């Protein structure tokens, strides 16, 4: 992995993450470059590979841009692929999610990133929290988004939260002991602990996860633990760790004018019965949105089925792709 980053002071942990991601990307997506990019509330990191129409990838909560590595090379055959770290994730600057309105920050962040990359219009792919970020941006600036692909259930459809996140979310919101419990839960990650957690909430086949990717993710969890805890606290209410009402897009899904495909993993724990029902209503009200199923895959579907997901993204972005469901 080549670097477009100017000389800067970084921590030893940052160097270890850069080295781990560099080795991972050199193996899975040779030629990927990395650079720091300023936005209005700090700096983030952008990974770039390939030539062609610009395609921006936005990961989910607790993840990072390098997690897209298994499909970068495939997508780079026909696109200039740009994977960005969300604020406070990966190698981005720290960020306080509890002090902001997430929808406003989503629009500002992506707008600033596209401006910094000098891109007027792009295709967007988002997963989970990244799905919320990209959808909110597409709602506010549809002229800047050609097509939108949601891989794995996006935040903002219903108020449901999967059981593992609900338990941790309740713990970190305890008024006195919450921060200590949260730091204990996230403070000592290991490769196998990460594999187990991802098997609970992110993938259908944790045994097949790349060891080097897990090791790099452990380093990111150590670096960004406090931000991740803030994300958890910012999502939920005090009653039952349900998603805050203001994070549910509701009828705004019907206002989405950008052609959109939801690559729906069949084993996504974030797609409960209420979420499934909600998606049926969304598609019925907005014929510019369609759902394509991905067999035997979890929430981060491309980690279970990289070839199928890359093909699904390419099909969704094709000039002659079907828009009407």
């Amino acid at each position: 992995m080549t670097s477009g980053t100017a000389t800067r002071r970084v921590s030893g942990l940052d160097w270890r993450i850069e080295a781990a991601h560099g080795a991972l990307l050199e193996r899975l997506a040779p030629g990927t470059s990395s650079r720091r990019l300023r936005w209005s509330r700090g700096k983030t990191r952008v990974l770039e590979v390939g030539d062609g129409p610009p395609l921006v990838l936005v990961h989910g909560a607790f993840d990072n841009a390098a997690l897209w590595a298994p499909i970068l090379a495939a997508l780079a055959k026909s696109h200039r692929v740009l994977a960005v770290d969300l604020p406070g994730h990966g190698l981005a600057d720290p960020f306080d999610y509890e002090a902001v309105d997430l929808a406003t920050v989503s629009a500002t962040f992506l707008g600033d990133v596209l401006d910094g990359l000098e891109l007027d219009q792009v295709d967007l792919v988002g997963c989970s929290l990244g799905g919320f970020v990209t959808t909110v941006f597409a709602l506010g600036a549809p002229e800047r988004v050609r097509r939108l692909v949601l891989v794995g259930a996006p935040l903002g459809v219903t108020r449901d939260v999967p059981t593992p996140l609900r338990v941790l979310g309740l713990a970190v919101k305890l008024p006195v002991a919450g921060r200590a419990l949260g730091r204990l839960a996230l403070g000592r990650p290991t490769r196998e602990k990460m594999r187990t957690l991802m098997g609970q909430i992110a993938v259908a086949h944790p045994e097949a996860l790349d060891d080097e990717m897990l090791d790099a993710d452990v380093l990111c969890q150590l670096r960004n633990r406090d931000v991740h805890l803030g994300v958890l606290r910012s999502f939920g209410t005090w009653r039952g760790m349900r998603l805050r009402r203001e994070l549910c897009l509701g009828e705004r899904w019907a206002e989405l004018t950008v052609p959109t495909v939801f690559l729906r993993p069949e084993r996504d724990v974030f797609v409960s019965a209420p979420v499934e029902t909600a998606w049926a209503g969304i598609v019925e009200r907005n014929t510019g949105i369609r759902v394509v199923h991905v067999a035997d895959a979890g929430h981060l579907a491309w980690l279970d089925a990289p070839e199928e997901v890359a093909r699904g993204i390419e099909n969704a972005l094709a000039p002659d792709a079907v828009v009407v469901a």
Side-chain angles (χ1 to χ4, degrees), residues 231-316:
V231 171
L232 271 176
R233 287 191 291 269
S234 74
F235 282 173
T237 68
W238 283 101
R239 295 187 177 184
M241 189 51 196
R242 299 197 72 201
L243 197 68
R244 288 162 49 192
R245 290 186 184 277
E246 57 268 35
L247 296 180
C248 291
L249 296 177
E251 291 303 316
R252 297 197 68 194
W253 287 101
E255 302 169 9
L256 188 62
T257 59
V258 173
T260 300
V261 171
F262 171 32
L263 294 182
R264 191 274 199 237
E266 291 186 347
R267 295 177 63 181
D268 189 343
V269 298
F270 286 77
V271 183
S272 60
V275 172
E276 197 78 81
T277 300
W279 268 110
I282 288 170
V283 172
E284 182 178 354
R285 292 191 299 274
N286 189 335
T287 57
I289 301 175
R290 61 189 177 98
V291 177
V292 176
H293 288 257
V294 182
D296 197 26
H299 188 53
L300 306 185
W302 67 94
L303 298 182
D304 285 314
E307 293 182 3
E308 185 175 354
V309 170
R311 184 167 57 250
I313 292 172
E314 290 289 359
N315 290 341

Side-chain angles (χ1 to χ4, degrees), residues 78-252:
S78 56
H79 291 86
R80 176 190 175 193
V81 184
L82 302 127
V84 60
D85 281 330
L86 283 173
H89 292 70
L91 286 169
D93 287 352
F95 191 76
D96 184 0
Y97 281 85
E98 295 180 273
V100 299
D101 175 79
L102 185 56
T104 300
V105 169
S106 297
T108 301
F109 174 71
L110 265 187
D112 288 352
V113 167
L114 297 192
D115 289 345
L117 294 170
E118 300 182 339
L119 296 173
D120 293 327
Q121 188 182 56
V122 299
D123 291 314
L124 286 178
V125 174
C127 175
S128 199
L129 174 58
F132 177 87
V133 171
T134 52
T135 300
V136 168
F137 183 74
L139 283 164
E143 73 283 356
R144 302 196 71 174
V145 184
R146 195 182 72 91
R147 290 180 185 268
L148 172 63
V149 183
L150 305 170
V151 182
L155 189 76
V157 176
T158 73
R159 300 183 65 198
D160 280 359
V161 178
T163 299
L165 288 185
R166 186 180 302 121
V167 172
L168 182 57
L170 285 170
V172 302
K173 293 183 79 66
L174 292 173
V176 177
R179 291 183 184 273
L181 284 171
R183 290 175 70 87
L184 180 63
L186 298 181
R188 297 178 182 177
T190 65
R191 177 196 292 176
E192 292 312 312
K193 284 183 180 178
M194 191 66 64
R195 191 187 305 277
T196 298
L197 178 61
M198 292 188 74
Q200 292 173 332
I201 65 174
V203 298
H205 298 283
E207 72 283 355
L209 287 170
D210 187 287
D211 286 348
E212 287 188 1
M213 178 179 292
L214 288 172
D215 291 342
D217 206 37
V218 165
L219 297 176
C220 287
Q221 298 298 330
L222 289 170
R223 179 189 190 270
N224 300 313
R225 175 185 56 192
D226 289 340
V227 173
H228 293 172
L229 290 172
V231 171
L232 271 176
R233 287 191 291 269
S234 74
F235 282 173
T237 68
W238 283 101
R239 295 187 177 184
M241 189 51 196
R242 299 197 72 201
L243 197 68
R244 288 162 49 192
R245 290 186 184 277
E246 57 268 35
L247 296 180
C248 291
L249 296 177
E251 291 303 316
R252 297 197 68 194

